[in-house]
Amino acid sequence: MSPELLLSLCAFAAVSSITPGPNNTMMLASGLNYGFKRSLPHLLGICCGFSFMMFATGLGLHAVFERVPMLQTILKYGGALYLLWLAWKLAHAAPMSGEQASLSKPMGFWGAAAFQWINPKAWVMILSALTTYLPHGFEVHDVLVPAGVFWVVGIFCVGSWVVFGVAMRRVLQDPRSVRIFNLVMALALVATLYPLLA
């Protein structure tokens, strides 16, 4: 990959990774409710799961979707239902006391990694990146480049949402503010479904 194409891929990865979507909305809420350290497995799960999915798709998983289009539809609507369930849980989440926060668990590494497979924004990002930045007649090592770029860029871009959530902890001190914040984040999560269902 030429330096110019690599720079363009990095820019695409940064813009698509930092814009609002299901992952970033959940990371913002996790940063607020659990802090940075406890949100770290969730963050790493997103980045590793996304990069692995990109690698697997680049190696031929997209051919499965071409042969079995119904599978894509199942993933699309299954992902939408899961996002609605997450939004409902977030909207009804009561503010946690210090003791409750220490006992409650944020999404872990494997849950976040698995979520990528039903995340509609992740599929759009992956298919766009692979069709745009992989050369014709590419080999296995060519797929590692975009997967690696998205992993590195994702750590910083998605991680910035956790940092923002942690910073908001200082502002959102009272239970009413936290409840309003969780409701707004739930609505934002539902809003990410619009491009999928429109």
Side-chain angles (χ1 to χ4, degrees):
M1 185 177 287
S2 68
E4 294 80 12
L5 197 59
L6 181 60
L7 187 61
S8 177
L9 172 62
C10 290
F12 174 79
V15 170
S16 58
S17 296
I18 205 162
T19 51
N23 285 327
N24 293 338
T25 303
M26 288 189 293
M27 292 279 36
L28 181 64
S30 186
L32 173 74
N33 291 303
Y34 300 107
F36 187 83
K37 187 177 178 182
R38 294 186 66 202
S39 299
L40 204 51
H42 188 171
L43 172 62
L44 293 173
I46 288 171
C47 296
C48 293
F50 183 91
S51 293
F52 175 76
M53 191 168 94
M54 177 174 274
F55 183 72
T57 304
L59 290 185
L61 186 63
H62 66 282
V64 174
F65 290 122
E66 289 175 7
R67 289 185 183 172
V68 189
M70 177 68 87
L71 184 59
Q72 199 166 4
T73 304
I74 291 168
L75 279 173
K76 176 180 172 179
Y77 290 105
L81 287 172
Y82 183 68
L83 280 175
L84 288 172
W85 179 76
L86 284 175
W88 183 85
K89 281 192 70 173
L90 187 56
H92 290 84
M96 293 183 284
S97 65
E99 186 180 342
Q100 286 173 319
S102 64
L103 294 173
S104 177
K105 290 184 178 181
M107 185 179 282
F109 178 89
W110 294 110
F115 173 70
Q116 302 318 299
W117 293 89
I118 58 169
N119 179 355
K121 184 185 175 190
W123 280 109
V124 170
M125 289 166 61
I126 286 171
L127 295 175
S128 299
L130 293 179
T131 54
T132 305
Y133 295 101
L134 280 183
H136 292 292
F138 64 88
E139 297 181 18
V140 173
H141 67 272
D142 292 318
V143 185
L144 290 171
V145 175
V149 164
F150 269 89
W151 190 88
V152 172
V153 170
I155 288 288
F156 292 100
C157 291
V158 180
S160 67
W161 286 79
V162 183
V163 172
F164 184 54
V166 171
M168 291 187 74
R169 292 177 105 175
R170 298 187 188 105
V171 179
L172 303 175
Q173 295 289 336
D174 63 291
R176 184 173 179 272
S177 298
V178 174
R179 192 172 281 116
I180 291 170
F181 174 83
N182 283 342
L183 182 59
V184 169
M185 288 299 97
L187 291 172
L189 203 53
V190 171
T192 64
L193 289 172
Y194 176 75
L196 171 74
L197 301 175

